[in-house]
Amino acid sequence: MATALITGGTSGIGAAFARALAERGDSLILVARNPDRLAEMAIELKERYAVDVETISADLSRREDVERVAERVESAAQPIDLLINNAGFGLRDKLLAVDVGPHDRGIDVMIRAVLILGGAAGRAMKARGAGTIINVSSSSGFIAMGAYSAIKAWVTSYTEGLANELHGTGVTVTALCPGWVRTEFHERADIDTRSIPDYFWLGAEPLVREALVDAAAGKVISIPSRRYAVLMGVARLMPRRAIRSVSRRLSSGSH
Ligand SMILES: NC(=O)c1ccc[n+]([C@@H]2O[C@H](COP(=O)([O-])OP(=O)(O)OC[C@H]3O[C@@H](n4cnc5c(N)ncnc54)[C@H](OP(=O)(O)O)[C@@H]3O)[C@@H](O)[C@H]2O)c1
């Protein structure tokens, strides 16, 4: 039986991963800040799927918390077969902002924690000759919507680098690049989504199903749904000038 560790496993995409993996019988380790929500999720999963669930309350913007989670990830005695680096949040603060606190937290949670946990998982899995790492990036990383796009561009590029370092070791690494997904993400970041047409919204469950199929196939970049696969395919062919112009319009429409 496999064991999966999911950061941000209490809500949205992370919770959908937790339910999908519990359904197939995997043991789970959920990481998030809110201990009540961790406990609720653990009870739900144990009752519905009769799987083992461990919880770790950790704030991944704090280095000591990340180190604590990394130790669990690298444990040889209790190995982890699948790491899902998912915890994250929307970041719409201006790049000209004097207070870079929100940017700092974004970089800490969505870059530094991903780097540290990815390294810990990569080393442990390489030593065993098997394992799967999924980094939840974003289609935003292909466009130019401020700090969030820059962070997710890093996550996608980092994933490709890690996949290369682990090539031929039996360990696969996948960047999941979703479009807009209905979760708590937008409300938490105070993002007005009224101008986003229904057509562009994805459900977390089908997204995760497709991501798991892509990861099992060893795909390094996963862009679930035909809609977004086509859109991102077109985006990759467009001149960056045109991407910047589309990004400007999207930024002004979604704030
Ligand atoms: N929703 C979208 O449209 C969309 C699109 C593309 C990519 N994504 C990416 O998908 C990932 C998951 O987002 P979501 O949409 O599922 O959002 P969500 O519903 O708001 O869930 C976020 C999860 O991350 C955890 N988290 C947030 N900050 C944390 C911290 N400092 N330390 C530990 N855990 C933390 C939250 O738990 P606590 O609050 O208890 O810590 C929660 O479990 C993110 O990386 C996001 O960038 C989302």
Side-chain angles (χ1 to χ4, degrees):
M1 198 173 45
T3 298
L5 185 143
I6 309 169
T7 67
T10 53
S11 171
I13 296 170
F17 267 116
R19 294 190 181 101
L21 295 170
E23 194 171 12
R24 71 182 198 195
D26 287 3
S27 299
L28 294 171
I29 302 160
L30 307 179
V31 179
R33 285 166 304 180
N34 186 324
D36 296 336
R37 289 192 66 171
L38 280 166
E40 274 168 36
M41 192 69 192
I43 290 170
E44 180 201 316
L45 295 170
K46 283 179 195 168
E47 284 182 353
R48 271 176 73 181
Y49 304 106
V51 291
D52 288 336
V53 185
E54 186 181 321
T55 59
I56 303 176
S57 175
D59 180 347
L60 297 176
S61 69
R62 293 161 53 101
R63 185 145 197 151
E64 59 274 29
D65 285 19
V66 180
E67 297 294 351
R68 186 158 49 86
V69 178
E71 268 176 37
R72 179 63 192 88
V73 168
E74 213 165 349
S75 161
Q78 295 173 291
I80 282 162
D81 307 286
L82 168 58
L83 167 69
I84 304 183
N85 265 321
N86 161 78
F89 48 87
L91 194 57
R92 60 188 196 86
D93 295 69
K94 296 283 183 211
L95 296 170
L96 292 182
V98 175
D99 174 12
V100 293
H103 297 295
D104 259 349
R105 280 189 291 284
I107 290 167
D108 288 348
V109 175
M110 294 184 277
I111 293 185
R112 193 184 61 191
V114 170
L115 175 76
I116 292 174
L117 299 182
R123 285 188 296 275
M125 291 172 181
K126 184 181 172 188
R128 295 197 305 274
T132 305
I133 299 171
I134 298 176
N135 296 322
V136 181
S137 185
S138 171
S139 287
S140 284
F142 299 125
I143 58 176
M145 290 177 70
Y148 184 74
S149 283
I151 285 171
K152 292 303 189 179
W154 183 91
V155 175
T156 303
S157 181
Y158 160 77
T159 301
E160 292 187 287
L162 187 62
N164 273 347
E165 275 194 38
L166 290 167
H167 188 75
T169 63
V171 184
T172 64
V173 194
T174 299
L176 169 59
C177 303
W180 281 296
V181 189
R182 289 205 191 278
T183 67
E184 295 174 20
F185 178 93
H186 304 91
E187 203 186 321
R188 285 190 198 223
D190 198 21
I191 297 170
D192 183 353
T193 57
R194 282 172 301 182
S195 60
I196 303 168
D198 274 351
Y199 177 76
F200 289 109
W201 286 99
L202 301 171
E205 285 74 25
L207 174 90
V208 155
R209 266 199 304 277
E210 215 174 308
L212 288 171
V213 170
D214 284 349
K219 264 197 186 179
V220 176
I221 298 192
S222 167
I223 306 173
S225 87
R226 182 137 186 80
R227 254 154 309 168
Y228 277 100
V230 170
L231 263 176
M232 292 307 127
V234 171
R236 278 175 178 165
L237 298 174
M238 280 164 70
R240 288 307 293 180
R241 191 159 39 91
I243 293 288
R244 287 193 293 277
S245 163
V246 171
S247 305
R248 270 198 304 279
R249 260 174 282 151
L250 282 172
S251 299
S252 58
S254 64
H255 281 196

